[in-house]
């Protein structure tokens, strides 16, 4: 039997530990502090559907190089198990912390719609049922076009944490010049995820596991937490099972849960990838 309360609880656990919730302004301040003195500045990318908060280093030269794009998780989608958050900006901007582990200079950070930005387009469905919708995906497609025009890079590596992994995977399936796809605790099969937890489907969202043709030819690395009971290994295995051609799909297990301590594991992964 489906349990809507469970959906709310799981969505909240995605975002933060229960406790005092910082204001949206404080959450943004904390995110910016993570890149203080690292050469990054806020750039709000305007697209036809949403404006996306990004962190970019305008001093870097990425012409004809590979540009890494780090995509944030679902953020603070729920305040309690029956109260949707008024603002989905993450309490812990995990994707920024992951980006900080990467010594590559050619990298940018993209938040999710309505994270760190106030807009009249910010309907709550875009951080709940429609978090992976076609409108959301379009904003990322247009953002990659903007970045390509600005930096002149020849290719992209897409790195997504949690729900950002779903976005990165969907984006890779619809975009040219993708060199590599990396997900960390990524939600790669949303139908399997809702079925696994016996919760309502994400109506209005696209499922990464439904877009396989182009993905099978992209080098992929998926990092999975052994202790992750929010997006357990079964979600990745369901995604993997749908491919006939699996030679480019790699995965590694790390001794982490969904929220804690991915930075160290990701650094190990990056060092091994060199």
């Amino acid at each position: 039997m489906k349990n809507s309360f469970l959906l709310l609880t799981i969505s909240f656990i995605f975002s933060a530990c229960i406790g005092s919730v910082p204001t949206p302004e404080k959450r943004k301040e904390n995110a910016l502090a993570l890149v203080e003195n690292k050469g990054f500045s806020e750039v709000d990318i305007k697209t036809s559907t949403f404006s996306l908060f990004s962190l970019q280093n305008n001093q870097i030269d990425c012409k004809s190089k590979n540009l890494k794009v780090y995509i944030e998780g679902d953020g603070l989608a729920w305040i309690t198990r029956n109260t949707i958050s008024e603002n989905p900006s993450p309490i812990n901007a995990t994707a920024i912390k992951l980006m900080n582990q990467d010594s590559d200079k050619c990298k940018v950070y993209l938040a999710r719609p309505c994270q760190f930005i106030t807009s009249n387009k910010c309907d709550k469905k875009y951080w709940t049922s429609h978090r992976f919708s076609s409108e959301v995906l379009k904003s990322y497609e247009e953002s990659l076009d903007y970045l390509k025009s600005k930096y002149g890079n020849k290719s992209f590596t897409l790195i997504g944490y949690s729900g950002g992994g779903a976005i990165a995977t969907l984006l890779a399936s619809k975009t040219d010049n993708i060199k590599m796809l990396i997900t960390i605790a990524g939600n790669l099969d949303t139908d399997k995820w809702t079925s696994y937890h016996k919760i309502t489907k994400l109506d209005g969202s696209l499922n990464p596991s439904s877009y396989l043709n182009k993905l099978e030819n992209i080098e992929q690395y998926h990092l999975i937490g052994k202790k992750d009971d929010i997006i357990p290994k079964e979600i990745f295995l369901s995604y993997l099972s749908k491919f006939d051609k699996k030679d480019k799909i790699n995965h590694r297990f790390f001794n982490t849960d969904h929220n804690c301590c991915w930075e160290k594991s990701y650094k190990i992964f990056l060092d091994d990838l060199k």
Side-chain angles (χ1 to χ4, degrees):
M1 180 176 181
K2 291 182 178 180
N3 187 331
S4 59
F5 285 139
L6 182 58
L7 172 59
L8 303 176
T9 302
I10 290 172
S11 297
F12 179 63
I13 293 172
F14 260 128
S15 312
C17 297
I18 295 175
S20 178
V21 178
T23 65
E25 293 76 18
K26 183 61 176 176
R27 282 176 258 164
K28 183 174 182 178
E29 178 184 324
N30 291 342
L32 291 171
L34 293 173
V35 292
E36 189 174 3
N37 300 320
K38 295 182 183 294
F40 286 88
S41 59
E42 173 186 352
V43 179
D44 295 341
I45 303 174
K46 293 178 172 58
T47 77
S48 63
T49 54
F50 299 96
S51 290
L52 296 181
F53 172 94
S54 75
L55 294 171
Q56 301 180 36
N57 188 335
N58 293 321
Q59 305 304 314
I60 59 176
D61 178 12
C62 298
K63 187 173 179 61
S64 300
K65 298 179 182 179
N66 181 62
L67 181 65
K68 292 182 176 179
V69 179
Y70 283 81
I71 302 175
E72 189 56 81
D74 290 342
L76 186 63
W78 299 84
I79 296 296
T80 68
R81 71 179 192 173
N82 57 4
T83 304
I84 301 173
S85 173
E86 295 291 334
N87 185 299
S89 301
I91 293 175
N92 297 302
T94 300
I96 299 179
K97 295 177 180 179
L98 295 173
M99 184 177 72
N100 284 342
Q101 304 303 312
D102 192 341
S103 61
D104 199 321
K105 300 297 185 184
C106 289
K107 57 189 179 183
V108 301
Y109 166 86
L110 292 181
R112 303 279 289 282
C114 306
Q115 293 181 352
F116 310 120
I117 285 180
T118 301
S119 168
N120 57 12
K121 293 184 178 181
C122 290
D123 189 297
K124 293 177 182 177
K125 70 181 181 180
Y126 291 117
W127 52 92
T128 53
S129 60
H130 288 59
R131 68 186 77 174
F132 311 131
S133 66
S134 57
E135 304 100 297
V136 168
L137 189 61
K138 187 175 183 181
S139 69
Y140 286 95
E141 292 179 88
E142 292 180 11
S143 292
L144 289 194
D145 289 340
Y146 157 83
L147 292 170
K148 185 90 161 48
S149 176
K150 178 175 180 176
Y151 290 101
N153 56 296
K154 70 176 181 179
S155 61
F156 292 99
T157 290
L158 304 179
I159 304 104
Y161 165 69
S162 190
I167 295 292
T169 304
L170 287 165
L171 194 54
S173 75
K174 295 178 177 294
T175 308
D176 294 328
N177 303 316
I178 303 301
K179 178 182 179 181
M180 188 182 297
L181 168 67
I182 301 171
T183 71
I184 300 94
N187 195 350
L188 301 177
D189 187 342
T190 56
D191 287 345
K192 175 65 176 180
W193 179 70
T194 55
S195 173
Y196 180 90
H197 289 294
K198 298 182 173 60
I199 54 180
T200 306
K201 286 187 176 182
L202 298 181
D203 294 332
S205 286
L206 305 175
N207 183 359
S209 287
S210 298
Y211 300 88
L212 306 179
N213 289 343
K214 195 169 183 178
L215 288 168
E216 70 178 8
N217 295 313
I218 297 173
E219 186 177 6
Q220 303 177 41
Y221 293 89
H222 303 284
L223 284 55
I224 304 156
K226 294 179 181 179
K227 301 176 183 178
D228 192 343
D229 57 1
I230 304 303
I231 303 182
K233 66 179 186 299
E234 285 80 3
I235 309 307
F236 166 75
L237 294 175
S238 177
Y239 168 81
L240 179 64
S241 71
K242 292 176 170 56
F243 287 88
D244 292 326
K245 180 183 175 184
K246 298 180 172 65
D247 59 298
K248 292 185 178 296
I249 307 174
N250 306 279
H251 67 281
R252 287 185 61 177
F253 290 97
F254 290 90
N255 194 34
T256 65
D257 61 24
H258 190 73
N259 295 300
C260 178
C261 315
W262 269 111
E263 300 96 296
K264 181 178 179 180
S265 297
Y266 185 60
K267 183 64 167 62
I268 292 172
F269 164 76
L270 288 176
D271 289 344
D272 290 346
L273 196 61
K274 291 178 180 178

